[in-house]
Amino acid sequence: MGLLTSCVFGAYFLATSQLMYAVMAFSLSGSLVAFLIYNFSPAKIFMGDTGSLLIGLLNSVFVIKFIAVASDPTFGFVLDSAPALGFAILIVPLFDTLRVVSLRIVSRRSPFSPDRNHIHHFLLEFGLSHSMISIVCVITNILFISLAYLLRSYGTTMIILALTTASVLLVSIIYYSRPKFKAISFERQKQKEPILKSHKILTLAGEPLEQD
């Protein structure tokens, strides 16, 4: 998703003569293309928190600058409902993050605790590969951007409301239509698996873990 968003922002900044931001966006795109060559399934390398957080930070800067430029008529490329368009560009990762964090807080868990409630986990239960899930997410993001662009004359509030409603409906359909037996078997497996704990800071190879 970072590749798509950085390309969109880079193209807009280039069209509005924001060369510094265009270079930053296209540099990020080039880095992600090089990364995807080795990350595509079967992956040889994986991105850690440092990489994903940096991509999120840069896209946050890009969307703020995009809204400022698209709302200013002096740049010659004004877009109506610019905040809603920025929201649409980031909607797939943004909505998924807000949804998962909200569910964890409602369940009285840490918002940073791991689980299998992300959208790509639901799609994995349908038997889709990681490559197919990436393609589905990119196509969905493009459709949301196109929808926001076509509805830009209706105002920011109405577009964000429409995009949020469509996202909730789409995730609900995916969640309730996923294969039930996989979800049940996963929960049972979590209950049956013993929790292994070690009181040592570093466990050497060949040393058995202590089981409580």
Side-chain angles (χ1 to χ4, degrees), residues 30-53:
S31 301
L32 291 176
V33 168
F35 171 76
L36 285 175
I37 294 176
Y38 299 98
N39 182 250
F40 231 78
S41 183
K44 296 180 180 178
I45 59 175
F46 298 91
M47 182 179 296
D49 291 338
T50 303
S52 60
L53 292 176

Side-chain angles (χ1 to χ4, degrees), residues 115-131:
D115 55 30
R116 292 183 61 85
N117 287 324
H118 287 282
I119 294 175
H120 64 272
H121 290 136
F122 298 158
L123 295 176
L124 282 173
E125 294 181 4
F126 283 95
L128 297 179
S129 64
H130 292 282
S131 302

Side-chain angles (χ1 to χ4, degrees), residues 43-65:
K44 296 180 180 178
I45 59 175
F46 298 91
M47 182 179 296
D49 291 338
T50 303
S52 60
L53 292 176
L54 178 61
I55 294 173
L57 175 62
L58 289 175
N59 279 317
S60 300
V61 173
F62 292 154
V63 73
I64 293 172
K65 184 63 177 180

Side-chain angles (χ1 to χ4, degrees), residues 78-95:
V78 178
L79 292 173
D80 296 331
S81 306
L85 291 173
F87 179 76
I89 294 172
L90 299 177
I91 189 169
V92 172
L94 182 62
F95 178 78

Side-chain angles (χ1 to χ4, degrees), residues 37-212:
I37 294 176
Y38 299 98
N39 182 250
F40 231 78
S41 183
K44 296 180 180 178
I45 59 175
F46 298 91
M47 182 179 296
D49 291 338
T50 303
S52 60
L53 292 176
L54 178 61
I55 294 173
L57 175 62
L58 289 175
N59 279 317
S60 300
V61 173
F62 292 154
V63 73
I64 293 172
K65 184 63 177 180
F66 167 79
I67 293 173
V69 173
S71 303
D72 192 342
T74 60
F75 290 101
F77 201 153
V78 178
L79 292 173
D80 296 331
S81 306
L85 291 173
F87 179 76
I89 294 172
L90 299 177
I91 189 169
V92 172
L94 182 62
F95 178 78
D96 188 42
T97 301
L98 293 175
R99 180 185 62 84
V100 172
V101 169
S102 300
L103 289 175
R104 291 171 184 170
I105 294 175
V106 170
S107 302
R108 297 183 178 181
R109 296 168 50 204
S110 169
F112 305 105
S113 60
D115 55 30
R116 292 183 61 85
N117 287 324
H118 287 282
I119 294 175
H120 64 272
H121 290 136
F122 298 158
L123 295 176
L124 282 173
E125 294 181 4
F126 283 95
L128 297 179
S129 64
H130 292 282
S131 302
M132 286 300 300
I133 293 174
S134 300
I135 294 173
V136 168
C137 290
V138 169
I139 293 175
T140 303
N141 208 145
I142 293 174
L143 292 177
F144 274 110
I145 296 173
S146 302
L147 178 63
Y149 183 79
L150 293 175
L151 299 177
R152 66 188 184 280
S153 60
Y154 287 89
T156 300
T157 304
M158 292 301 298
I159 295 175
I160 292 179
L161 181 61
L163 294 177
T164 304
T165 303
S167 300
V168 171
L169 290 175
L170 183 60
V171 173
S172 299
I173 293 173
I174 294 174
Y175 178 80
Y176 288 106
S177 61
R178 60 186 180 148
K180 300 296 181 182
F181 69 92
K182 290 187 178 181
I184 294 173
S185 61
F186 176 74
E187 292 297 331
R188 289 178 177 175
Q189 184 180 2
K190 287 200 304 181
Q191 294 175 2
K192 291 181 179 180
E193 285 181 349
I195 301 177
L196 300 179
K197 298 180 180 179
S198 176
H199 301 290
K200 297 182 178 180
I201 298 177
L202 177 63
T203 302
L204 299 178
E207 292 183 1
L209 292 174
E210 299 177 11
Q211 181 174 348
D212 294 341

